[in-house]
Amino acid sequence: MNTPLPAPLILPFHGNTPKIDPSAFVAPGAVLIGDVEIGPDASVWYGCILRGDTNKIVVGRGSNVQDGTICHVDKASRGGTPVLIGENVLVGHRCMLHGCRVEDGGFVGMGATMLDEAVVESGAFLAAGAFLSNRKRVPSGELWGGMPARKLRDLKEGEDKMALMGAAFYVEEARQHREAIEQAGG
């Protein structure tokens, strides 16, 4: 006998209901609240919390927000910033993103933290465990890491494409998880 799996928790807040593209994958146990938008072929994995209660959160086409990550925003009425995740972005397991931006093809390593107005540019990498403080910017073609994060080195030729390859892997991985959940009766 199959036990039904828990669905993701999708909650409206102050008139905003999360919008999820039909091709996106939101895993059981994920929580999406308020002004959250999940784009085509994007994925939000197990145990993630995306709380768009006072500003918006956008996860772009083909991007993934991996297990245990928390995304929150700063109040728009105070001039606060949303969380904007571009296309084909990898956000590793157990990250903390608050009012920040990861541009197309950017990479945020496992356990990294990004604070208000911080930016990881297209083709830039923020290393696992790094702490990127307010208004810091990781330029395209660079790897930053540490606490606080600082430039470690320039990316080697082709490394900037690794996030794109990883994002494509997660699109397929999400399809497989969706199929397994459907087969299990979820």
Side-chain angles (χ1 to χ4, degrees), residues 49-78:
I49 300 171
L50 282 66
R51 183 161 58 101
D53 53 356
T54 60
N55 210 324
K56 69 181 176 178
I57 297 171
V58 177
V59 179
R61 175 185 297 275
S63 291
N64 61 83
V65 178
Q66 296 173 22
D67 313 66
T69 291
I70 297 173
C71 298
H72 191 235
V73 292
D74 204 5
K75 195 168 187 172
S77 64
R78 290 195 315 238

PDB file of all heavy atoms in Angstrom, residues 49-78:
ATOM      1  N   ILE A  49      12.752  26.716   1.883  1.00  0.00           N
ATOM      2  CA  ILE A  49      11.749  27.714   2.269  1.00  0.00           C
ATOM      3  C   ILE A  49      12.004  28.964   1.449  1.00  0.00           C
ATOM      4  O   ILE A  49      13.094  29.535   1.512  1.00  0.00           O
ATOM      5  CB  ILE A  49      11.814  28.043   3.766  1.00  0.00           C
ATOM      6  CG1 ILE A  49      11.565  26.791   4.603  1.00  0.00           C
ATOM      7  CG2 ILE A  49      10.806  29.146   4.111  1.00  0.00           C
ATOM      8  CD1 ILE A  49      11.820  26.981   6.086  1.00  0.00           C
ATOM      9  N   LEU A  50      11.011  29.383   0.670  1.00  0.00           N
ATOM     10  CA  LEU A  50      11.071  30.625  -0.090  1.00  0.00           C
ATOM     11  C   LEU A  50       9.938  31.500   0.430  1.00  0.00           C
ATOM     12  O   LEU A  50       8.769  31.253   0.125  1.00  0.00           O
ATOM     13  CB  LEU A  50      10.921  30.371  -1.587  1.00  0.00           C
ATOM     14  CG  LEU A  50      12.163  29.846  -2.318  1.00  0.00           C
ATOM     15  CD1 LEU A  50      12.564  28.457  -1.859  1.00  0.00           C
ATOM     16  CD2 LEU A  50      11.949  29.876  -3.816  1.00  0.00           C
ATOM     17  N   ARG A  51      10.296  32.485   1.248  1.00  0.00           N
ATOM     18  CA  ARG A  51       9.291  33.304   1.934  1.00  0.00           C
ATOM     19  C   ARG A  51       9.255  34.700   1.325  1.00  0.00           C
ATOM     20  O   ARG A  51       9.984  35.594   1.720  1.00  0.00           O
ATOM     21  CB  ARG A  51       9.584  33.355   3.435  1.00  0.00           C
ATOM     22  CG  ARG A  51       8.526  34.124   4.209  1.00  0.00           C
ATOM     23  CD  ARG A  51       8.524  33.814   5.694  1.00  0.00           C
ATOM     24  NE  ARG A  51       9.763  34.063   6.372  1.00  0.00           N
ATOM     25  CZ  ARG A  51      10.007  35.157   7.131  1.00  0.00           C
ATOM     26  NH1 ARG A  51       9.088  36.087   7.289  1.00  0.00           N
ATOM     27  NH2 ARG A  51      11.154  35.276   7.736  1.00  0.00           N
ATOM     28  N   GLY A  52       8.342  34.877   0.361  1.00  0.00           N
ATOM     29  CA  GLY A  52       8.156  36.161  -0.299  1.00  0.00           C
ATOM     30  C   GLY A  52       7.028  36.940   0.349  1.00  0.00           C
ATOM     31  O   GLY A  52       6.045  37.276  -0.313  1.00  0.00           O
ATOM     32  N   ASP A  53       7.171  37.225   1.621  1.00  0.00           N
ATOM     33  CA  ASP A  53       6.086  37.891   2.346  1.00  0.00           C
ATOM     34  C   ASP A  53       6.137  39.410   2.258  1.00  0.00           C
ATOM     35  O   ASP A  53       5.108  40.063   2.293  1.00  0.00           O
ATOM     36  CB  ASP A  53       6.035  37.431   3.808  1.00  0.00           C
ATOM     37  CG  ASP A  53       7.363  37.567   4.533  1.00  0.00           C
ATOM     38  OD1 ASP A  53       8.381  37.948   3.908  1.00  0.00           O
ATOM     39  OD2 ASP A  53       7.387  37.277   5.738  1.00  0.00           O
ATOM     40  N   THR A  54       7.327  39.991   2.119  1.00  0.00           N
ATOM     41  CA  THR A  54       7.430  41.451   2.088  1.00  0.00           C
ATOM     42  C   THR A  54       8.076  41.969   0.806  1.00  0.00           C
ATOM     43  O   THR A  54       8.269  43.169   0.650  1.00  0.00           O
ATOM     44  CB  THR A  54       8.230  41.972   3.297  1.00  0.00           C
ATOM     45  OG1 THR A  54       9.549  41.424   3.260  1.00  0.00           O
ATOM     46  CG2 THR A  54       7.549  41.607   4.603  1.00  0.00           C
ATOM     47  N   ASN A  55       8.421  41.088  -0.103  1.00  0.00           N
ATOM     48  CA  ASN A  55       9.005  41.428  -1.392  1.00  0.00           C
ATOM     49  C   ASN A  55       8.967  40.155  -2.226  1.00  0.00           C
ATOM     50  O   ASN A  55       8.529  39.113  -1.751  1.00  0.00           O
ATOM     51  CB  ASN A  55      10.438  41.950  -1.205  1.00  0.00           C
ATOM     52  CG  ASN A  55      10.850  42.948  -2.278  1.00  0.00           C
ATOM     53  OD1 ASN A  55      10.482  42.824  -3.438  1.00  0.00           O
ATOM     54  ND2 ASN A  55      11.635  43.935  -1.883  1.00  0.00           N
ATOM     55  N   LYS A  56       9.449  40.202  -3.455  1.00  0.00           N
ATOM     56  CA  LYS A  56       9.311  39.044  -4.329  1.00  0.00           C
ATOM     57  C   LYS A  56      10.573  38.181  -4.371  1.00  0.00           C
ATOM     58  O   LYS A  56      11.686  38.647  -4.105  1.00  0.00           O
ATOM     59  CB  LYS A  56       8.931  39.471  -5.739  1.00  0.00           C
ATOM     60  CG  LYS A  56      10.011  40.205  -6.495  1.00  0.00           C
ATOM     61  CD  LYS A  56       9.493  40.593  -7.869  1.00  0.00           C
ATOM     62  CE  LYS A  56      10.556  41.431  -8.583  1.00  0.00           C
ATOM     63  NZ  LYS A  56      10.128  41.787  -9.923  1.00  0.00           N
ATOM     64  N   ILE A  57      10.343  36.921  -4.744  1.00  0.00           N
ATOM     65  CA  ILE A  57      11.403  35.959  -5.004  1.00  0.00           C
ATOM     66  C   ILE A  57      11.126  35.375  -6.373  1.00  0.00           C
ATOM     67  O   ILE A  57      10.015  34.914  -6.646  1.00  0.00           O
ATOM     68  CB  ILE A  57      11.420  34.840  -3.944  1.00  0.00           C
ATOM     69  CG1 ILE A  57      11.721  35.420  -2.554  1.00  0.00           C
ATOM     70  CG2 ILE A  57      12.434  33.756  -4.322  1.00  0.00           C
ATOM     71  CD1 ILE A  57      11.551  34.424  -1.424  1.00  0.00           C
ATOM     72  N   VAL A  58      12.135  35.391  -7.247  1.00  0.00           N
ATOM     73  CA  VAL A  58      11.991  34.840  -8.593  1.00  0.00           C
ATOM     74  C   VAL A  58      13.104  33.823  -8.815  1.00  0.00           C
ATOM     75  O   VAL A  58      14.282  34.118  -8.582  1.00  0.00           O
ATOM     76  CB  VAL A  58      12.072  35.945  -9.671  1.00  0.00           C
ATOM     77  CG1 VAL A  58      12.006  35.342 -11.071  1.00  0.00           C
ATOM     78  CG2 VAL A  58      10.979  36.982  -9.473  1.00  0.00           C
ATOM     79  N   VAL A  59      12.720  32.631  -9.272  1.00  0.00           N
ATOM     80  CA  VAL A  59      13.672  31.601  -9.663  1.00  0.00           C
ATOM     81  C   VAL A  59      13.488  31.408 -11.163  1.00  0.00           C
ATOM     82  O   VAL A  59      12.423  30.971 -11.612  1.00  0.00           O
ATOM     83  CB  VAL A  59      13.433  30.279  -8.897  1.00  0.00           C
ATOM     84  CG1 VAL A  59      14.423  29.207  -9.354  1.00  0.00           C
ATOM     85  CG2 VAL A  59      13.532  30.506  -7.390  1.00  0.00           C
ATOM     86  N   GLY A  60      14.505  31.750 -11.949  1.00  0.00           N
ATOM     87  CA  GLY A  60      14.389  31.754 -13.401  1.00  0.00           C
ATOM     88  C   GLY A  60      14.462  30.389 -14.055  1.00  0.00           C
ATOM     89  O   GLY A  60      14.757  29.370 -13.423  1.00  0.00           O
ATOM     90  N   ARG A  61      14.215  30.397 -15.329  1.00  0.00           N
ATOM     91  CA  ARG A  61      14.183  29.190 -16.175  1.00  0.00           C
ATOM     92  C   ARG A  61      15.424  28.329 -15.952  1.00  0.00           C
ATOM     93  O   ARG A  61      16.550  28.804 -15.993  1.00  0.00           O
ATOM     94  CB  ARG A  61      14.120  29.596 -17.640  1.00  0.00           C
ATOM     95  CG  ARG A  61      14.210  28.420 -18.623  1.00  0.00           C
ATOM     96  CD  ARG A  61      14.265  28.883 -20.070  1.00  0.00           C
ATOM     97  NE  ARG A  61      13.047  29.587 -20.447  1.00  0.00           N
ATOM     98  CZ  ARG A  61      11.932  28.998 -20.875  1.00  0.00           C
ATOM     99  NH1 ARG A  61      11.881  27.686 -21.001  1.00  0.00           N
ATOM    100  NH2 ARG A  61      10.880  29.710 -21.199  1.00  0.00           N
ATOM    101  N   GLY A  62      15.182  27.026 -15.705  1.00  0.00           N
ATOM    102  CA  GLY A  62      16.261  26.057 -15.621  1.00  0.00           C
ATOM    103  C   GLY A  62      17.133  26.152 -14.385  1.00  0.00           C
ATOM    104  O   GLY A  62      18.119  25.437 -14.270  1.00  0.00           O
ATOM    105  N   SER A  63      16.797  27.026 -13.457  1.00  0.00           N
ATOM    106  CA  SER A  63      17.599  27.180 -12.242  1.00  0.00           C
ATOM    107  C   SER A  63      17.131  26.211 -11.173  1.00  0.00           C
ATOM    108  O   SER A  63      16.017  25.698 -11.222  1.00  0.00           O
ATOM    109  CB  SER A  63      17.505  28.614 -11.711  1.00  0.00           C
ATOM    110  OG  SER A  63      18.161  29.494 -12.596  1.00  0.00           O
ATOM    111  N   ASN A  64      17.988  25.968 -10.196  1.00  0.00           N
ATOM    112  CA  ASN A  64      17.604  25.092  -9.103  1.00  0.00           C
ATOM    113  C   ASN A  64      18.030  25.691  -7.772  1.00  0.00           C
ATOM    114  O   ASN A  64      19.052  26.351  -7.666  1.00  0.00           O
ATOM    115  CB  ASN A  64      18.165  23.685  -9.288  1.00  0.00           C
ATOM    116  CG  ASN A  64      19.669  23.673  -9.317  1.00  0.00           C
ATOM    117  OD1 ASN A  64      20.318  23.665  -8.285  1.00  0.00           O
ATOM    118  ND2 ASN A  64      20.241  23.688 -10.512  1.00  0.00           N
ATOM    119  N   VAL A  65      17.171  25.463  -6.792  1.00  0.00           N
ATOM    120  CA  VAL A  65      17.417  25.861  -5.409  1.00  0.00           C
ATOM    121  C   VAL A  65      17.410  24.545  -4.637  1.00  0.00           C
ATOM    122  O   VAL A  65      16.372  23.905  -4.490  1.00  0.00           O
ATOM    123  CB  VAL A  65      16.325  26.829  -4.905  1.00  0.00           C
ATOM    124  CG1 VAL A  65      16.551  27.200  -3.452  1.00  0.00           C
ATOM    125  CG2 VAL A  65      16.281  28.082  -5.788  1.00  0.00           C
ATOM    126  N   GLN A  66      18.591  24.139  -4.185  1.00  0.00           N
ATOM    127  CA  GLN A  66      18.754  22.780  -3.672  1.00  0.00           C
ATOM    128  C   GLN A  66      18.375  22.667  -2.197  1.00  0.00           C
ATOM    129  O   GLN A  66      18.244  23.657  -1.481  1.00  0.00           O
ATOM    130  CB  GLN A  66      20.182  22.311  -3.922  1.00  0.00           C
ATOM    131  CG  GLN A  66      20.495  22.214  -5.407  1.00  0.00           C
ATOM    132  CD  GLN A  66      21.946  21.909  -5.684  1.00  0.00           C
ATOM    133  OE1 GLN A  66      22.660  21.375  -4.848  1.00  0.00           O
ATOM    134  NE2 GLN A  66      22.396  22.258  -6.882  1.00  0.00           N
ATOM    135  N   ASP A  67      18.273  21.427  -1.766  1.00  0.00           N
ATOM    136  CA  ASP A  67      17.723  21.010  -0.479  1.00  0.00           C
ATOM    137  C   ASP A  67      18.162  21.886   0.694  1.00  0.00           C
ATOM    138  O   ASP A  67      19.348  22.169   0.864  1.00  0.00           O
ATOM    139  CB  ASP A  67      18.151  19.572  -0.173  1.00  0.00           C
ATOM    140  CG  ASP A  67      17.945  18.655  -1.358  1.00  0.00           C
ATOM    141  OD1 ASP A  67      18.627  18.834  -2.389  1.00  0.00           O
ATOM    142  OD2 ASP A  67      17.089  17.767  -1.255  1.00  0.00           O
ATOM    143  N   GLY A  68      17.172  22.307   1.492  1.00  0.00           N
ATOM    144  CA  GLY A  68      17.434  23.015   2.734  1.00  0.00           C
ATOM    145  C   GLY A  68      17.776  24.493   2.601  1.00  0.00           C
ATOM    146  O   GLY A  68      18.093  25.140   3.593  1.00  0.00           O
ATOM    147  N   THR A  69      17.691  25.039   1.399  1.00  0.00           N
ATOM    148  CA  THR A  69      18.017  26.454   1.198  1.00  0.00           C
ATOM    149  C   THR A  69      16.864  27.334   1.675  1.00  0.00           C
ATOM    150  O   THR A  69      15.695  26.989   1.533  1.00  0.00           O
ATOM    151  CB  THR A  69      18.337  26.722  -0.287  1.00  0.00           C
ATOM    152  OG1 THR A  69      19.580  26.076  -0.588  1.00  0.00           O
ATOM    153  CG2 THR A  69      18.438  28.199  -0.604  1.00  0.00           C
ATOM    154  N   ILE A  70      17.220  28.491   2.219  1.00  0.00           N
ATOM    155  CA  ILE A  70      16.230  29.481   2.652  1.00  0.00           C
ATOM    156  C   ILE A  70      16.431  30.753   1.844  1.00  0.00           C
ATOM    157  O   ILE A  70      17.552  31.264   1.740  1.00  0.00           O
ATOM    158  CB  ILE A  70      16.379  29.797   4.150  1.00  0.00           C
ATOM    159  CG1 ILE A  70      16.103  28.544   4.980  1.00  0.00           C
ATOM    160  CG2 ILE A  70      15.444  30.942   4.556  1.00  0.00           C
ATOM    161  CD1 ILE A  70      16.392  28.706   6.457  1.00  0.00           C
ATOM    162  N   CYS A  71      15.351  31.245   1.256  1.00  0.00           N
ATOM    163  CA  CYS A  71      15.348  32.533   0.552  1.00  0.00           C
ATOM    164  C   CYS A  71      14.344  33.437   1.241  1.00  0.00           C
ATOM    165  O   CYS A  71      13.191  33.053   1.446  1.00  0.00           O
ATOM    166  CB  CYS A  71      14.943  32.369  -0.908  1.00  0.00           C
ATOM    167  SG  CYS A  71      16.042  31.342  -1.888  1.00  0.00           S
ATOM    168  N   HIS A  72      14.787  34.641   1.601  1.00  0.00           N
ATOM    169  CA  HIS A  72      13.902  35.631   2.201  1.00  0.00           C
ATOM    170  C   HIS A  72      14.254  36.994   1.638  1.00  0.00           C
ATOM    171  O   HIS A  72      15.287  37.159   0.982  1.00  0.00           O
ATOM    172  CB  HIS A  72      14.004  35.619   3.735  1.00  0.00           C
ATOM    173  CG  HIS A  72      12.923  36.429   4.382  1.00  0.00           C
ATOM    174  ND1 HIS A  72      13.188  37.442   5.276  1.00  0.00           N
ATOM    175  CD2 HIS A  72      11.580  36.398   4.243  1.00  0.00           C
ATOM    176  CE1 HIS A  72      12.044  37.985   5.665  1.00  0.00           C
ATOM    177  NE2 HIS A  72      11.045  37.370   5.048  1.00  0.00           N
ATOM    178  N   VAL A  73      13.405  37.956   1.887  1.00  0.00           N
ATOM    179  CA  VAL A  73      13.497  39.262   1.248  1.00  0.00           C
ATOM    180  C   VAL A  73      13.457  40.365   2.297  1.00  0.00           C
ATOM    181  O   VAL A  73      13.086  40.141   3.441  1.00  0.00           O
ATOM    182  CB  VAL A  73      12.326  39.439   0.261  1.00  0.00           C
ATOM    183  CG1 VAL A  73      12.481  38.498  -0.919  1.00  0.00           C
ATOM    184  CG2 VAL A  73      10.991  39.174   0.944  1.00  0.00           C
ATOM    185  N   ASP A  74      13.827  41.561   1.857  1.00  0.00           N
ATOM    186  CA  ASP A  74      13.712  42.720   2.722  1.00  0.00           C
ATOM    187  C   ASP A  74      12.498  43.520   2.277  1.00  0.00           C
ATOM    188  O   ASP A  74      12.164  43.548   1.092  1.00  0.00           O
ATOM    189  CB  ASP A  74      14.980  43.571   2.643  1.00  0.00           C
ATOM    190  CG  ASP A  74      15.183  44.424   3.862  1.00  0.00           C
ATOM    191  OD1 ASP A  74      14.404  44.303   4.825  1.00  0.00           O
ATOM    192  OD2 ASP A  74      16.123  45.231   3.860  1.00  0.00           O
ATOM    193  N   LYS A  75      11.851  44.148   3.203  1.00  0.00           N
ATOM    194  CA  LYS A  75      10.571  44.812   2.969  1.00  0.00           C
ATOM    195  C   LYS A  75      10.649  45.853   1.854  1.00  0.00           C
ATOM    196  O   LYS A  75      11.411  46.806   1.925  1.00  0.00           O
ATOM    197  CB  LYS A  75      10.087  45.452   4.270  1.00  0.00           C
ATOM    198  CG  LYS A  75       8.644  45.851   4.249  1.00  0.00           C
ATOM    199  CD  LYS A  75       8.161  46.194   5.632  1.00  0.00           C
ATOM    200  CE  LYS A  75       6.664  46.424   5.609  1.00  0.00           C
ATOM    201  NZ  LYS A  75       6.115  46.576   6.936  1.00  0.00           N
ATOM    202  N   ALA A  76       9.834  45.659   0.828  1.00  0.00           N
ATOM    203  CA  ALA A  76       9.825  46.550  -0.328  1.00  0.00           C
ATOM    204  C   ALA A  76       9.466  47.978   0.066  1.00  0.00           C
ATOM    205  O   ALA A  76      10.037  48.942  -0.464  1.00  0.00           O
ATOM    206  CB  ALA A  76       8.853  46.038  -1.389  1.00  0.00           C
ATOM    207  N   SER A  77       8.535  48.140   0.998  1.00  0.00           N
ATOM    208  CA  SER A  77       8.104  49.490   1.382  1.00  0.00           C
ATOM    209  C   SER A  77       9.212  50.269   2.085  1.00  0.00           C
ATOM    210  O   SER A  77       9.141  51.487   2.177  1.00  0.00           O
ATOM    211  CB  SER A  77       6.859  49.413   2.276  1.00  0.00           C
ATOM    212  OG  SER A  77       7.162  48.756   3.489  1.00  0.00           O
ATOM    213  N   ARG A  78      10.238  49.579   2.553  1.00  0.00           N
ATOM    214  CA  ARG A  78      11.395  50.252   3.159  1.00  0.00           C
ATOM    215  C   ARG A  78      12.531  50.381   2.155  1.00  0.00           C
ATOM    216  O   ARG A  78      13.673  50.664   2.527  1.00  0.00           O
ATOM    217  CB  ARG A  78      11.918  49.450   4.360  1.00  0.00           C
ATOM    218  CG  ARG A  78      11.023  49.459   5.554  1.00  0.00           C
ATOM    219  CD  ARG A  78      11.757  48.962   6.789  1.00  0.00           C
ATOM    220  NE  ARG A  78      12.537  47.763   6.548  1.00  0.00           N
ATOM    221  CZ  ARG A  78      12.393  46.619   7.200  1.00  0.00           C
ATOM    222  NH1 ARG A  78      11.498  46.511   8.147  1.00  0.00           N
ATOM    223  NH2 ARG A  78      13.165  45.587   6.938  1.00  0.00           N
TER     224      ARG A  78
END
